[in-house]
Amino acid sequence: MSLLPWIPVVTLVGALLALVAGARSAAAARAVALLTALFGAVAAGVAAARFAPSNELVTLVDVPWITQLGIRYHLAVDGISLSLVVLTALAATSGVLFSWTVAERVGEFFALYLTLVAGVYGVFLSADAFLFFVFYEIAIVPKYFLVAGWGSTRREYGAMKLVLYSFAGSALVLAGLVWTYGAGGAEGFSFGALTEAASRMSYGENVAAFGLVFFGFATLAGLFPLHTWAPTGHVAAPTAASMLLAGVVMKLGAYGCLRIALPFYPVGFAAWQMVIGWLAVAGIVYAGLVALVQRDFKFVIGYSSVSHMGFVMLGLATGEVEALAGATLQMFSHGVIAGLLFGVVGRMVYEREHTRDLVELEARPMHRRLPGAAAVFVLAGLASMGLPGFSGFPAELKILVGAWSFHPIWAVAAVVGVLVAGAFTLRVMQRAFFGQFSAACGLGAGAETDDGGERLSLPEKLGAGLLLAATIVIGLKPDLLLDWIMPALQSPAFHFAASKVVP
């Protein structure tokens, strides 16, 4: 029996236990959070080891829920969703490890954290659109409290902006799905029922409904110009929340576009396709250029996330199987890399140096003060640049090949974005870790420790090692995920893409 359907339930129970344990002991709350995250990781790992790739969703559990509306508690999995479940398990476990030093209201922190994680798992496993939406909302609500309660720079503003954008996007999604349910005469909210209902809508209705659903999801995915919540929210959020926001929560929006918007409304997708592609390209280049001039270390990573998510949206815009596979692989890749980058900036650097200002960091010998953080960031930065040997390389390559076959100008513009990404990554790497020590900065003697620099803690090493291993393993062996993803894209649900397969 698969443990996958139990992951959201156990994670929610873990959230409640962490809250109760935190009232007595911070250490107990941390232990509950880690054990809960490890359960998800083990369950995902066992499912991955036993998974047989298929061109259809494999039902895990399917029972009636709201029978009057045909809504069911239906969880299912295929290669696409399993890839993202594995990503969530990695990000959740690493986030707990990077949050080991949280000292304020520890039980409440991990209760909200695990509730968010449970919602993410539920989204990736849902096979009923209404259930999908419920889990989607469960993942959104805790974000506000995590950022507002434990965040830093303009945390209340960042939390409110993040949640308002998220709720506005989800309202568009709900409106589009309810419209489809009513106008198409659907018998329920299953993916198949709504796909059939959408096919019975008029051309104008289909195009409009697609616009509502796609751009509602794309708001959370950070599609330009709906992206402005992302850098602000990332910067304001505590480390673990930043890791989850960039690592998996933004993927909820992209996954919604891939799983619901494109298959349900292929007619609407064709009408909006060029608009989506140009917006994706604009986001890649624009966010990269903005990252290039940022002074706040965390803002650089925030805008970097928007730029890299632009590649995901570009892959979706092409509608090509190869590019869709690349987009899914990029979701996984960016999830582990962005999580690692935010872990370095928020936990390893900011909590020790109490600044994210690149001018101030440049005046400190950071490669000597924090050699471990410098080493991890260099590797994560190389991965973020998409160099061979890391997961970003095969993902971006497949997207660029698909974009070239559909619209060569998109591919050329995206390559410009790759070059800009290399520029801002090398810039921040140099300024943050390899600047010249200046006595005028007021650090004085003792800036360098006698033992060669401050060492990383064991939880930091484990969290960073987990994410680094993931990006390197998939970079060297992308077929581990592509062998799951490609059969899933041969599903009848993706018929609009399967017809474009190049022999």
Side-chain angles (χ1 to χ4, degrees):
M1 178 181 176
S2 175
L3 293 174
L4 286 179
W6 289 101
I7 297 181
V9 177
V10 171
T11 307
L12 284 174
V13 172
L16 180 59
L17 292 177
L19 181 62
V20 174
R24 298 186 177 184
S25 167
R30 294 188 188 101
V32 170
L34 182 58
L35 289 174
T36 303
L38 287 175
F39 173 82
V42 170
V46 171
R50 298 177 176 177
F51 183 69
S54 172
N55 66 348
E56 61 183 4
L57 284 166
V58 178
T59 295
L60 301 172
V61 58
D62 184 12
V63 295
W65 183 19
I66 306 176
T67 55
Q68 295 86 344
L69 298 176
I71 297 171
R72 304 181 67 83
Y73 187 82
H74 185 187
L75 301 181
V77 67
D78 64 2
I80 296 172
S81 57
L82 183 57
S83 299
L84 298 176
V85 166
V86 172
L87 166 64
T88 305
L90 293 171
T93 305
S94 182
V96 171
L97 293 169
F98 272 103
S99 301
W100 211 249
T101 57
V102 170
E104 181 182 355
R105 293 176 289 152
V106 178
E108 296 174 33
F109 176 87
F110 282 117
L112 290 167
Y113 178 87
L114 292 174
T115 301
L116 191 159
V117 172
V120 172
Y121 276 128
V123 167
F124 292 144
L125 292 174
S126 293
D128 181 280
F130 189 85
L131 181 64
F132 185 110
F133 184 81
V134 169
F135 277 120
Y136 192 83
E137 295 300 300
I138 291 174
I140 287 176
V141 173
K143 294 189 301 183
Y144 174 83
F145 297 100
L146 284 169
V147 177
W150 291 267
S152 54
T153 309
R154 302 180 69 191
R155 61 186 184 182
E156 292 183 0
Y157 170 77
M160 185 60 70
K161 186 174 183 179
L162 186 158
V163 171
L164 287 178
Y165 268 75
S166 300
F167 278 135
S170 61
L172 294 179
V173 171
L174 182 61
L177 294 177
V178 171
W179 185 7
T180 304
Y181 177 86
E187 296 181 356
F189 279 84
S190 70
F191 290 169
L194 285 183
T195 300
E196 293 180 9
S199 68
R200 292 192 288 267
M201 299 172 77
S202 68
Y203 176 81
E205 289 175 328
N206 197 288
V207 172
F210 172 84
L212 289 173
V213 174
F214 183 89
F215 288 103
F217 281 128
T219 299
L220 193 58
L223 177 68
F224 177 88
L226 306 172
H227 69 284
T228 58
W229 67 268
T232 306
H234 293 328
V235 169
T239 299
S242 292
M243 294 173 69
L244 283 185
L245 286 176
V248 294
V249 174
M250 293 182 78
K251 310 307 176 292
L252 298 184
Y255 180 73
C257 292
L258 176 61
R259 178 66 74 188
I260 291 180
L262 272 62
F264 286 17
Y265 312 97
V267 173
F269 171 53
W272 284 99
Q273 192 168 14
M274 296 301 294
V275 173
I276 296 167
W278 283 114
L279 290 177
V281 168
I284 293 171
V285 178
Y286 169 79
L289 292 173
V290 174
L292 192 59
V293 297
Q294 292 300 306
R295 179 168 169 168
D296 187 306
F297 198 173
K298 210 171 183 184
F299 262 117
V300 176
I301 309 305
Y303 278 103
S304 169
S305 289
V306 174
S307 180
H308 283 94
M309 284 301 295
F311 277 94
V312 175
M313 304 311 289
L314 178 61
L316 299 183
T318 66
E320 302 278 354
V321 164
E322 289 294 325
L324 293 177
T328 306
L329 192 60
Q330 175 72 346
M331 290 187 218
F332 181 94
S333 173
H334 176 257
V336 296
I337 295 171
L340 183 58
L341 290 172
F342 276 114
V344 173
V345 176
R347 171 67 188 98
M348 297 181 183
V349 175
Y350 182 71
E351 290 192 21
R352 289 179 171 89
E353 299 296 318
H354 307 293
T355 182
R356 298 191 304 262
D357 190 306
L358 291 175
V359 174
E360 295 182 16
L361 293 174
E362 189 176 21
R364 309 179 186 190
M366 295 294 293
H367 61 292
R368 295 176 182 173
R369 293 167 64 95
L370 301 173
V376 173
F377 189 84
V378 167
L379 291 173
L382 296 177
S384 180
M385 291 165 60
L387 293 188
F390 298 97
S391 56
F393 177 74
E396 292 182 4
L397 181 62
K398 291 182 80 66
I399 292 170
L400 290 173
V401 170
W404 178 267
S405 67
F406 183 81
H407 201 306
I409 297 179
W410 288 356
V412 173
V415 168
V416 173
V418 173
L419 297 177
V420 173
F424 70 66
T425 302
L426 291 174
R427 169 183 174 269
V428 75
M429 192 183 299
Q430 168 65 31
R431 299 195 68 178
F433 292 102
F434 300 101
Q436 296 299 316
F437 170 66
S438 172
C441 73
L443 294 175
E448 299 180 42
T449 59
D450 295 335
D451 63 357
E454 185 174 347
R455 294 184 175 90
L456 300 180
S457 66
L458 179 59
E460 288 173 320
K461 292 177 181 178
L462 293 174
L466 188 64
L467 298 179
L468 275 175
T471 188
I472 293 172
V473 168
I474 299 304
L476 297 176
K477 188 65 174 176
D479 286 348
L480 289 175
L481 293 183
L482 291 175
D483 285 347
W484 298 350
I485 296 168
M486 292 300 289
L489 290 172
Q490 303 302 322
S491 165
F494 296 100
H495 61 87
F496 65 92
S499 62
K500 300 179 181 179
V501 176
V502 179

